[in-house]
Amino acid sequence: MGQDVLSVGLEGMKGHIVRVEANVRSDKDQFVIVGLPDASIKESKERVLSCLHALDVDLDMKKVTIHLSPADKRKTGTGYDAAMLVAVLREVMKEPIPFDASTCILASLSLDGRLESFHGLIPAIQQAVLLGFKRVLLPPVDVRVLGKALSAELIPLADVHQLLDCLRGQGVIAMDIPNVLVKEEESPDVSHQPDFASVRGHKEAKRALEIAAAGGHHVLMTGPPGCGKSMLADAFHTILPDLPNEEMLEVYSIYHLAKERRGFSSRPPYRSPHHSASAISLIGGGTYPKPGEISLAHRGVLFLDELGEFSRKTLDMLRQPMESGEVTISRVRQSVTYPSSFTLLAATNPCPCGYHGSNERYCTCTPQQVRAYQLKASGPLLDRLDFVLTLTSVGLKQEMPAETSEKVRIRTRQAQLLQKNRYNSPSLNGTVAGSVLLATCGLTERQNELLETVCFSKKWSNRTLVKLIRLARTISDLEGLEYITKASIEEAIHWKQVADLHQDAQRIHGTT
Ligand SMILES: Nc1ncnc2c1ncn2[C@@H]1O[C@H](COP(=O)(O)OP(=O)(O)OP(=O)(O)O)[C@@H](O)[C@H]1O
Ligand SMILES: [Mg+2]
């Protein structure tokens, strides 16, 4: 008995080590796979038997039992084929097949012994590296692009012979391998977006969006039709910094699982689901669970345009993932978790006709209609939003000089680097755990007192207090400062007051 053959299983996007054991004994012919395999793994039996036949392995009057542990976790997909074959071969071949604990095998099999790719290969590779594997044995796919993003050695192998040679420490001949990855072609979600400089006026909103982009804070924009809400949202994507390699691969893996097309691009994702989208397409799930829009927006932007038109039930479902950065979908047989750390950008008209509070036209809605619309639009999410911006049509006079997205992106990139170094993780100020934020933010006693006094006088909750610290931290990070400044605290308070004005307006409508 030596080290078990190792592979990687996925529950949603979370990987776990799967140990593959085989037992071969004299008995009547039988081949059994245990350890909660799904139908596709049960079919592995035929592929493994056919490969054993191709290798001239005689299993007459033998009972083969394969155990996939941990036994209580469901296994899906065909990626364990090659690991199962190796486990059986180690039992029946005279020549030993060593296997060390830093190696794992991720490959499906063809009937004649070729290693094949399978759905979920990319996320499995990404998770294998996170689990600490140093060597990942793969089917022949071009992993050079992935290799750049990973610290482990990725070894593509053509067939079972090469796989055995590799395990026995013999060199493997380099081969021509097809590229299954979508190259860095322009992703559909990054093309044709307006530059920040092409949005005229809206100086305050642009400042808020820069802070939101730097720290991952959530924003709601309200205003009459045509004032530039959608344009600002599109331009927001262009001021987000590029993703580092590991995050780029993480995002790519989610798209791979969802069977959605995305280039191996360093631009953060930008998703703008229509308001008629179902809860499942937004949150994720289904009979065969797959990631929803909130996970496809991971490390990027989720833009909900016409927020008031979304169903309240759907919006309610966003609250938990917004707080935890991941979403867990419980099914009868298993629950799966997908990452969902996104920046929410929402836009809405102030009322059904769109002109409430506008100086362009009269609003034709009743106060009750206005209140119902505003509550639906922002009610479930209001306490999770950091910026509530009330926009008006500004005229198209350009303020000179208008900063381009490229210039703003230099600042947001710097600010994000500071945060990621401080937290030693991809977390940003908007979503990092409160305890970590408080332990590292560098707030002085006096600043703390100032914040507490303001919160007490304004009757703001502790949640608001922490939010103010998050915002102030980002504002200081944008200036490249190690400590939070008084000016950044004052600016954070200003943004909270601006958001309160919006809420007060809602309340007034409720009573008129
Ligand atoms: N601040 C602005 N600077 C430059 N162009 C603008 C500005 N605001 C609006 N526009 C122009 O008006 C068009 C409509 O703006 P946009 O779609 O952003 O409005 P909106 O606020 O989203 O309206 P709706 O509520 O109807 O969705 C834009 O495509 C753009 O051409
Ligand atoms: Mg719009």
Side-chain angles (χ1 to χ4, degrees):
M1 282 290 289
Q3 164 68 45
D4 291 332
V5 177
L6 302 177
S7 190
V8 171
L10 289 176
E11 276 181 320
M13 266 285 288
K14 275 210 174 115
H16 57 88
I17 296 175
V18 173
R19 297 179 175 277
V20 186
E21 288 175 78
N23 177 278
V24 181
R25 62 174 187 270
S26 297
D27 203 334
K28 60 176 192 267
D29 281 4
Q30 217 181 346
F31 193 108
V32 190
I33 303 171
V34 296
L36 296 185
D38 75 348
S40 59
I41 299 182
K42 285 183 188 150
E43 285 183 355
S44 297
K45 169 186 165 183
E46 299 304 330
R47 291 187 290 272
V48 173
L49 279 175
S50 173
C51 289
L52 287 167
H53 180 72
L55 289 167
D56 272 339
V57 174
D58 179 15
L59 286 175
D60 260 358
M61 296 308 286
K62 293 273 188 330
K63 174 172 179 174
V64 179
T65 310
I66 295 183
H67 178 216
L68 306 174
S69 71
D72 57 349
K73 274 198 198 305
R74 288 198 175 275
K75 324 286 181 316
T76 56
T78 60
Y80 307 108
D81 283 7
M84 288 196 261
L85 178 71
V86 171
V88 177
L89 288 175
R90 291 175 91 208
E91 289 291 301
V92 296
M93 276 194 152
K94 286 198 188 79
E95 208 182 329
I97 306 170
F99 199 94
D100 77 87
S102 63
T103 301
C104 72
I105 306 178
L106 304 173
S108 178
L109 287 174
S110 70
L111 295 182
D112 59 356
R114 278 173 291 120
L115 266 54
E116 294 199 327
S117 182
F118 59 94
H119 178 63
L121 173 65
I122 308 289
I125 297 174
Q126 188 237 354
Q127 292 294 311
V129 177
L130 283 185
L131 287 166
F133 287 108
K134 294 277 171 278
R135 233 168 41 131
V136 186
L137 310 188
L138 301 164
V141 294
D142 186 352
V143 284
R144 277 168 295 186
V145 216
L146 292 186
K148 274 194 251 160
L150 294 169
S151 51
E153 192 186 356
L154 307 181
I155 309 177
L157 301 160
D159 54 27
V160 180
H161 297 289
Q162 286 201 352
L163 176 60
L164 295 181
D165 285 350
C166 179
L167 289 172
R168 287 180 175 136
Q170 291 154 20
V172 175
I173 312 150
M175 57 189 152
D176 263 352
I177 36 184
N179 179 21
V180 294
L181 298 174
V182 183
K183 275 277 172 60
E184 267 183 72
E185 64 178 26
E186 188 109 314
S187 287
D189 55 355
V190 292
S191 53
H192 314 304
Q193 277 166 330
D195 194 275
F196 221 44
S198 65
V199 182
R200 306 203 165 188
H202 291 315
K203 206 168 155 216
E204 276 247 308
K206 282 172 139 187
R207 168 71 181 160
L209 290 181
E210 180 177 336
I211 301 169
H217 304 283
H218 306 301
V219 183
L220 170 69
M221 295 180 280
T222 96
C227 70
K229 302 181 293 295
S230 303
M231 191 180 186
L232 274 168
D234 287 345
F236 176 76
H237 187 225
T238 65
I239 61 165
L240 290 175
D242 281 349
L243 298 174
N245 281 341
E246 312 78 57
E247 291 176 32
M248 184 161 85
L249 179 57
E250 189 187 17
V251 172
Y252 190 84
S253 299
I254 299 172
Y255 277 69
H256 182 93
L257 266 190
K259 297 189 178 162
E260 285 267 338
R261 194 173 162 78
R262 176 179 160 88
F264 198 63
S265 158
S266 56
R267 294 300 300 144
Y270 178 85
R271 305 293 297 188
S272 53
H274 191 253
H275 54 72
S276 62
S278 68
I280 286 184
S281 75
L282 205 61
I283 308 296
T287 319
Y288 299 100
K290 67 179 208 167
E293 289 292 335
I294 59 169
S295 298
L296 295 170
H298 182 59
R299 307 270 179 236
V301 189
L302 180 71
F303 176 41
L304 302 184
D305 205 357
E306 319 292 352
L307 189 72
E309 305 295 333
F310 280 81
S311 89
R312 192 172 173 134
K313 193 172 139 239
T314 313
L315 294 181
D316 262 331
M317 286 174 146
L318 287 176
R319 294 159 63 138
Q320 180 266 328
M322 274 170 80
E323 206 130 276
S324 63
E326 58 180 29
V327 58
T328 301
I329 299 151
S330 297
R331 317 293 311 162
V332 182
R333 290 169 150 229
Q334 68 180 137
S335 70
V336 292
T337 303
Y338 298 114
S340 63
S341 191
F342 56 87
T343 301
L344 177 74
L345 212 53
T348 179
N349 292 328
C351 64
C353 82
Y355 290 97
H356 176 77
S358 159
N359 43 16
E360 293 166 37
R361 289 193 207 175
Y362 285 114
C363 169
T364 54
C365 307
T366 64
Q368 286 76 12
Q369 279 176 314
V370 176
R371 179 173 158 76
Y373 193 83
Q374 292 190 345
L375 268 184
K376 190 170 155 216
S378 55
L381 300 176
L382 204 57
D383 53 348
R384 284 173 177 64
L385 297 169
D386 300 276
F387 295 98
V388 181
L389 310 172
T390 307
L391 306 178
T392 50
S393 281
V394 284
L396 297 182
K397 194 166 159 282
Q398 183 63 290
E399 302 204 10
M400 297 301 280
E403 269 194 314
T404 61
S405 299
E406 203 180 336
K407 273 197 173 160
V408 182
R409 213 158 51 218
I410 294 172
R411 290 196 295 270
T412 54
R413 183 185 304 127
Q414 274 307 323
Q416 288 203 355
L417 270 181
L418 281 177
Q419 296 165 62
K420 289 175 183 179
N421 285 341
R422 186 183 315 122
Y423 305 131
N424 201 14
S425 78
S427 301
L428 299 176
N429 293 331
T431 47
V432 70
S435 54
V436 179
L437 175 88
L438 295 178
T440 54
C441 65
L443 203 68
T444 64
E445 277 287 311
R446 281 187 68 136
Q447 289 173 334
N448 207 3
E449 273 168 27
L450 166 72
L451 276 169
E452 280 184 6
T453 315
V454 173
C455 286
F456 182 76
S457 66
K458 301 261 182 199
K459 300 193 172 59
W460 286 341
S461 67
N462 279 352
R463 167 183 263 164
T464 306
L465 175 66
V466 174
K467 259 183 163 182
L468 290 174
I469 299 174
R470 288 183 193 277
L471 268 192
R473 185 58 272 181
T474 304
I475 296 165
S476 292
D477 283 333
L478 265 173
E479 285 163 35
L481 300 171
E482 198 180 329
Y483 293 100
I484 295 179
T485 59
K486 186 162 177 253
S488 64
I489 294 177
E490 283 164 358
E491 188 175 347
I493 293 171
H494 161 75
W495 288 117
K496 173 64 187 151
Q497 282 170 332
V498 170
D500 274 6
L501 280 179
H502 172 83
Q503 238 176 327
D504 289 348
Q506 280 191 8
R507 254 181 242 122
I508 290 164
H509 289 297
T511 53
T512 49

